[in-house]
Amino acid sequence: MSLIPKKGTVYVVDDDEAVRDSLQWLLEGKDYRVRCFDSAESFPARYDPREVACLIVDIRMGGMTGLELQDRLVERKSPLPVVFITGHGDVPMAVNTMKKGAMDFIQKPFKEDELVSLVERMLERAKDTFAEFQSAASRDALLSKLTSREAQVLERIVAGRLNKQIADDLGISIKTVEAHRANIMEKLNANTVADLLKIALGQQPPKT
């Protein structure tokens, strides 16, 4: 078994076994990890959003189409870069997929070097988008620790309100505001108010 790390994961969703085999052979030969699916229905439950990956999907398939799979991923706010395999008559449809965020489309029969170049670009984008996705997930996990009252206090801290003003807003004592602030700082792993603002505003949270 090779100890060289793979370049990334490429998901292939196509109901044509010959296409799946061809793509797997080509991409594994370029040291990509390839996972194939014979239907769009089988993909969402087995896709791991925690790994840097991209998706190559046929635009027309029996059952759920590639277009419907893209819609489902968009609903999930998935950061997965998508490229469609299309037949000649599907080009207008493929253009529409790009308006929904697809990165590109390739026509059958596709050229190997163009496909490999496209996969490289997709995985480069994936590294960036997945970093942002993980950062947002970390932020959401931190903010979910707050009680509803602490969330109200944090909202006012972000708005630049002073402790006395927050106390007046919420009808609580300044000491209670101070206690909430201390709890918020601890739960969000924030050492300074600047750290707190970065987390609340969706910037990179501080490392613990």
Side-chain angles (χ1 to χ4, degrees):
M1 182 177 168
S2 172
L3 296 177
I4 300 172
K6 299 284 183 182
K7 295 177 183 177
T9 298
V10 181
Y11 293 111
V12 176
V13 180
D14 197 308
D15 57 1
D16 185 329
E17 185 178 4
V19 172
R20 294 197 306 274
D21 289 348
S22 172
L23 288 171
Q24 185 163 14
W25 177 83
L26 170 64
L27 294 170
E28 286 185 345
K30 301 292 184 181
D31 206 33
Y32 293 103
R33 184 181 292 107
V34 181
R35 295 184 62 196
C36 294
F37 300 82
D38 61 7
S39 71
E41 288 90 346
S42 63
F43 177 73
R46 293 163 63 192
Y47 150 57
D48 185 353
R50 295 168 299 178
E51 66 180 333
V52 174
C54 63
L55 170 64
I56 299 174
V57 58
D58 193 358
I59 206 163
R60 288 184 190 272
M61 290 180 284
M64 184 190 291
T65 66
L67 297 172
E68 290 167 335
L69 177 56
Q70 182 190 28
D71 287 341
R72 188 166 298 187
L73 292 171
V74 169
E75 284 171 14
R76 290 187 178 189
K77 299 181 179 176
S78 167
L80 190 68
V82 179
V83 65
F84 283 91
I85 301 173
T86 71
H88 178 69
D90 296 330
V91 171
M93 198 186 302
V95 170
N96 193 45
T97 69
M98 294 183 70
K99 293 176 182 175
K100 292 183 182 179
M103 194 164 165
D104 209 336
F105 61 89
I106 47 176
Q107 279 187 263
K108 302 174 186 174
F110 40 80
K111 296 178 181 175
E112 292 185 359
D113 55 345
E114 288 180 6
L115 175 65
V116 171
S117 174
L118 183 54
V119 165
E120 285 176 3
R121 294 204 314 273
M122 290 170 75
L123 287 171
E124 279 303 311
R125 176 184 287 189
K127 287 174 188 174
D128 295 335
T129 56
F130 275 73
E132 294 165 10
F133 182 76
Q134 294 294 346
S135 177
S138 298
R139 170 181 176 269
D140 290 345
L142 287 172
L143 293 175
S144 70
K145 296 178 182 179
L146 302 182
T147 65
S148 57
R149 178 63 90 191
E150 288 165 352
Q152 291 173 333
V153 171
L154 176 59
E155 184 183 337
R156 285 159 176 79
I157 293 171
V158 172
R161 306 285 283 169
L162 302 174
N163 283 359
K164 183 178 186 309
Q165 293 170 317
I166 296 172
D168 291 342
D169 289 345
L170 301 177
I172 56 180
S173 70
I174 293 177
K175 276 202 162 172
T176 302
V177 174
E178 290 171 349
H180 284 316
R181 281 184 80 124
N183 287 340
I184 293 166
M185 298 284 279
E186 183 178 350
K187 287 181 178 181
L188 301 188
N189 301 322
N191 297 315
T192 66
V193 174
D195 285 344
L196 202 61
L197 293 176
K198 284 179 183 177
I199 296 168
L201 296 173
Q203 298 173 19
Q204 192 66 32
K207 292 180 181 177
T208 56

